[in-house]
Amino acid sequence: MPTRILPAVGDADAVRSVTTLLSQLPDAEPVAPVVDSTQLVDTLARLAAESVDELPEVVIVHERIGPVPALELIREVALRFPAVGVILVTSDASPGLFQAAMDYGARGLVALPLSYEELASRVQAVAQWSTGVRRHLGSAGDVFTGVGGTVVTVSGAKGGVGTTLTAIQLALAAQASGRSTALVDLDLQTGDVASYLDVQFRRSIVDLAAITDISPRVLADAVFRHDSGLALLLAPAEGERGEDVTDRSARQIVSALRSRYEVVVIDCGAQIGGAGAAAVEMADRALLVTTPDVVAVRGAKRAVRMWDRLQIRKAEETTVVVNRHSRGTEIQPPLIQKITGTAVAATAVPANFKELQSVVDAGRVHELENKSAVKQALWGLAAELGLVKVPEGAQKTGRFRGGDRGSVSLRRRREG
């Protein structure tokens, strides 16, 4: 059986060099190369969605791949697609880099300039390892082999626009629909998820920051299991400790969560540091919450432009959520879309703080009544984003509305 090899090389000259050598290897079946980290992960996810057997046995990552650094990319591939063997191609073949590559999940390292003998030997060894792993995965149900969960980041145009409430309700909606869901508080200095859910905790996201290999057991020790079923990874009680969570550790933590949960909702707050930027870059959906007023909309525009300048996220890949919306405001969603250049969620969240005040003050926002217009809108937004598991036949009948009342009543009718 031929060995399928997927090169991830951004440099045009390097692409030609790698593909020429790969085509000469015996029993090799080179796949069309991908040019950046996003394309690589998307390609592997698409193949894994069909079957683990569709994945290439070997992925070759060039040291100058981007925008995600090569070692970080190797870690993400190793976590999400454990049946794929990764080889790093680099001009630095020092023992230090070799050890780092192994720690990040690579199965081999090949030095530049490439030689046929070294590349052939390494590809053969990694392909044999990959084949063995796939045989093992065939009977190991506890090993994750899927495409990974959906990661959604929720950021604020400025403070006080409802970012945390939005993140919590999206996570609750996903969990209530039957999807395993993690809620992460990445507002490292001023995070309030614990206060909103009345949680007393000892461990936080900082406890994972210094760990190079986050195993399922280590992750479970850091996560707080809430009464609602949500898995909570909380911001540190001491805000200054948030500096320990770097962009590198944030990537590792998000990848570990994605491999264990169907939905991961991340509250990034209104101030995006290195960790938050890494999360937004990795997210499948990046939400930016704003209110329909001049100051907040300016803040949203400023954030979108900054993300674009830093190559974190393009405007068209960002979705703005309008909170505290009313028909009487001068600034309506179509105008916000025009100003920011982003997509705007079809579901706008109404302004009705009265129904929120008692549960917010009590730290029990998970007990917000089903009849709440705010809850219905946010759970409808979760459905719009594809975070909830829609009951079979609900879309055809038109009876699913994103809230839990609709899904429960539908189940009763079906069971009756």
Side-chain angles (χ1 to χ4, degrees), residues 279-303:
V280 171
E281 184 181 11
M282 294 178 68
D284 299 289
R285 300 293 296 268
L287 306 183
L288 184 60
V289 181
T290 186
T291 48
D293 58 83
V294 172
V295 175
V297 174
R298 283 177 176 171
K301 183 178 180 180
R302 185 167 56 244

Short mmCIF file of all heavy atoms in Angstrom, two decimals, residues 279-303:
data_model
loop_
_atom_site.label_atom_id
_atom_site.label_comp_id
_atom_site.label_asym_id
_atom_site.label_seq_id
_atom_site.Cartn_x
_atom_site.Cartn_y
_atom_site.Cartn_z
N ALA A 279 -6.23 32.40 20.74
CA ALA A 279 -7.52 31.72 20.73
C ALA A 279 -8.39 32.19 19.58
O ALA A 279 -9.03 31.39 18.89
CB ALA A 279 -8.23 31.96 22.07
N VAL A 280 -8.42 33.51 19.34
CA VAL A 280 -9.22 34.05 18.23
C VAL A 280 -8.72 33.51 16.90
O VAL A 280 -9.50 33.18 16.01
CB VAL A 280 -9.20 35.59 18.26
CG1 VAL A 280 -9.84 36.16 17.00
CG2 VAL A 280 -9.93 36.12 19.50
N GLU A 281 -7.41 33.41 16.77
CA GLU A 281 -6.82 32.92 15.52
C GLU A 281 -7.19 31.45 15.28
O GLU A 281 -7.45 31.03 14.15
CB GLU A 281 -5.30 33.07 15.56
CG GLU A 281 -4.61 32.67 14.28
CD GLU A 281 -3.10 32.82 14.37
OE1 GLU A 281 -2.58 33.05 15.49
OE2 GLU A 281 -2.44 32.72 13.34
N MET A 282 -7.26 30.65 16.35
CA MET A 282 -7.54 29.23 16.22
C MET A 282 -9.03 28.92 16.09
O MET A 282 -9.40 27.82 15.67
CB MET A 282 -7.00 28.48 17.45
CG MET A 282 -5.50 28.47 17.59
SD MET A 282 -4.99 27.61 19.09
CE MET A 282 -5.44 25.92 18.69
N ALA A 283 -9.88 29.88 16.45
CA ALA A 283 -11.32 29.61 16.56
C ALA A 283 -11.97 29.29 15.22
O ALA A 283 -11.58 29.83 14.18
CB ALA A 283 -12.02 30.80 17.20
N ASP A 284 -12.97 28.42 15.27
CA ASP A 284 -13.80 28.17 14.10
C ASP A 284 -14.75 29.35 13.85
O ASP A 284 -15.04 29.69 12.71
CB ASP A 284 -14.61 26.89 14.29
CG ASP A 284 -13.72 25.68 14.48
OD1 ASP A 284 -13.08 25.27 13.50
OD2 ASP A 284 -13.65 25.15 15.61
N ARG A 285 -15.24 29.94 14.94
CA ARG A 285 -16.10 31.12 14.84
C ARG A 285 -15.61 32.14 15.86
O ARG A 285 -15.43 31.82 17.03
CB ARG A 285 -17.57 30.79 15.13
CG ARG A 285 -18.19 29.77 14.19
CD ARG A 285 -18.31 30.30 12.78
NE ARG A 285 -19.20 31.44 12.66
CZ ARG A 285 -20.50 31.35 12.36
NH1 ARG A 285 -21.06 30.16 12.20
NH2 ARG A 285 -21.23 32.42 12.22
N ALA A 286 -15.38 33.38 15.41
CA ALA A 286 -14.95 34.46 16.30
C ALA A 286 -16.07 35.48 16.38
O ALA A 286 -16.43 36.11 15.38
CB ALA A 286 -13.67 35.10 15.80
N LEU A 287 -16.66 35.63 17.57
CA LEU A 287 -17.75 36.58 17.77
C LEU A 287 -17.22 37.84 18.44
O LEU A 287 -16.33 37.78 19.30
CB LEU A 287 -18.84 35.97 18.66
CG LEU A 287 -19.43 34.62 18.23
CD1 LEU A 287 -20.55 34.21 19.18
CD2 LEU A 287 -19.93 34.67 16.80
N LEU A 288 -17.77 38.98 18.04
CA LEU A 288 -17.42 40.26 18.64
C LEU A 288 -18.73 40.91 19.08
O LEU A 288 -19.58 41.23 18.24
CB LEU A 288 -16.69 41.14 17.63
CG LEU A 288 -16.16 42.48 18.12
CD1 LEU A 288 -15.16 42.31 19.27
CD2 LEU A 288 -15.49 43.25 16.98
N VAL A 289 -18.91 41.05 20.38
CA VAL A 289 -20.16 41.57 20.93
C VAL A 289 -20.08 43.08 21.03
O VAL A 289 -19.10 43.64 21.52
CB VAL A 289 -20.45 40.96 22.32
CG1 VAL A 289 -21.77 41.48 22.87
CG2 VAL A 289 -20.47 39.43 22.24
N THR A 290 -21.14 43.75 20.57
CA THR A 290 -21.24 45.20 20.69
C THR A 290 -22.66 45.59 21.05
O THR A 290 -23.59 44.79 20.90
CB THR A 290 -20.82 45.89 19.37
OG1 THR A 290 -20.80 47.31 19.57
CG2 THR A 290 -21.80 45.57 18.25
N THR A 291 -22.80 46.77 21.56
CA THR A 291 -24.13 47.36 21.77
C THR A 291 -24.34 48.42 20.70
O THR A 291 -23.37 48.94 20.13
CB THR A 291 -24.23 47.97 23.17
OG1 THR A 291 -23.06 48.79 23.42
CG2 THR A 291 -24.30 46.89 24.23
N PRO A 292 -25.59 48.77 20.39
CA PRO A 292 -25.86 49.69 19.28
C PRO A 292 -25.70 51.16 19.67
O PRO A 292 -26.64 51.96 19.59
CB PRO A 292 -27.31 49.36 18.91
CG PRO A 292 -27.93 48.91 20.18
CD PRO A 292 -26.85 48.20 20.94
N ASP A 293 -24.50 51.51 20.10
CA ASP A 293 -24.20 52.90 20.42
C ASP A 293 -22.87 53.27 19.78
O ASP A 293 -22.06 52.39 19.44
CB ASP A 293 -24.15 53.13 21.94
CG ASP A 293 -23.12 52.25 22.63
OD1 ASP A 293 -21.94 52.63 22.65
OD2 ASP A 293 -23.50 51.18 23.13
N VAL A 294 -22.62 54.56 19.65
CA VAL A 294 -21.47 55.04 18.89
C VAL A 294 -20.15 54.55 19.48
O VAL A 294 -19.27 54.07 18.75
CB VAL A 294 -21.48 56.58 18.81
CG1 VAL A 294 -20.18 57.09 18.20
CG2 VAL A 294 -22.67 57.07 18.01
N VAL A 295 -20.01 54.64 20.80
CA VAL A 295 -18.74 54.28 21.43
C VAL A 295 -18.43 52.80 21.23
O VAL A 295 -17.31 52.41 20.87
CB VAL A 295 -18.76 54.63 22.92
CG1 VAL A 295 -17.49 54.14 23.62
CG2 VAL A 295 -18.91 56.14 23.12
N ALA A 296 -19.42 51.94 21.45
CA ALA A 296 -19.20 50.50 21.32
C ALA A 296 -18.93 50.12 19.87
O ALA A 296 -18.05 49.28 19.59
CB ALA A 296 -20.40 49.74 21.85
N VAL A 297 -19.66 50.70 18.93
CA VAL A 297 -19.45 50.36 17.52
C VAL A 297 -18.07 50.82 17.06
O VAL A 297 -17.39 50.14 16.29
CB VAL A 297 -20.57 50.97 16.65
CG1 VAL A 297 -20.27 50.75 15.16
CG2 VAL A 297 -21.91 50.33 17.00
N ARG A 298 -17.63 51.98 17.55
CA ARG A 298 -16.27 52.41 17.24
C ARG A 298 -15.26 51.42 17.80
O ARG A 298 -14.24 51.11 17.17
CB ARG A 298 -16.01 53.80 17.81
CG ARG A 298 -16.63 54.93 17.00
CD ARG A 298 -16.37 56.27 17.67
NE ARG A 298 -16.88 57.37 16.86
CZ ARG A 298 -16.96 58.62 17.29
NH1 ARG A 298 -16.55 58.93 18.52
NH2 ARG A 298 -17.43 59.57 16.51
N GLY A 299 -15.53 50.93 19.01
CA GLY A 299 -14.65 49.93 19.60
C GLY A 299 -14.60 48.65 18.78
O GLY A 299 -13.55 48.04 18.62
N ALA A 300 -15.75 48.23 18.26
CA ALA A 300 -15.81 47.04 17.41
C ALA A 300 -14.99 47.25 16.14
O ALA A 300 -14.22 46.36 15.74
CB ALA A 300 -17.26 46.72 17.06
N LYS A 301 -15.13 48.41 15.53
CA LYS A 301 -14.36 48.70 14.32
C LYS A 301 -12.87 48.72 14.61
O LYS A 301 -12.06 48.19 13.83
CB LYS A 301 -14.81 50.05 13.74
CG LYS A 301 -14.12 50.43 12.44
CD LYS A 301 -14.64 51.76 11.92
CE LYS A 301 -13.95 52.14 10.61
NZ LYS A 301 -14.47 53.44 10.10
N ARG A 302 -12.50 49.29 15.74
CA ARG A 302 -11.09 49.35 16.13
C ARG A 302 -10.53 47.93 16.35
O ARG A 302 -9.42 47.62 15.92
CB ARG A 302 -10.96 50.18 17.40
CG ARG A 302 -9.54 50.42 17.86
CD ARG A 302 -9.48 51.51 18.92
NE ARG A 302 -10.34 51.21 20.06
CZ ARG A 302 -11.40 51.94 20.42
NH1 ARG A 302 -11.74 53.01 19.72
NH2 ARG A 302 -12.11 51.60 21.46
N ALA A 303 -11.31 47.07 17.01
CA ALA A 303 -10.86 45.70 17.26
C ALA A 303 -10.70 44.93 15.95
O ALA A 303 -9.70 44.21 15.76
CB ALA A 303 -11.86 44.99 18.17
#
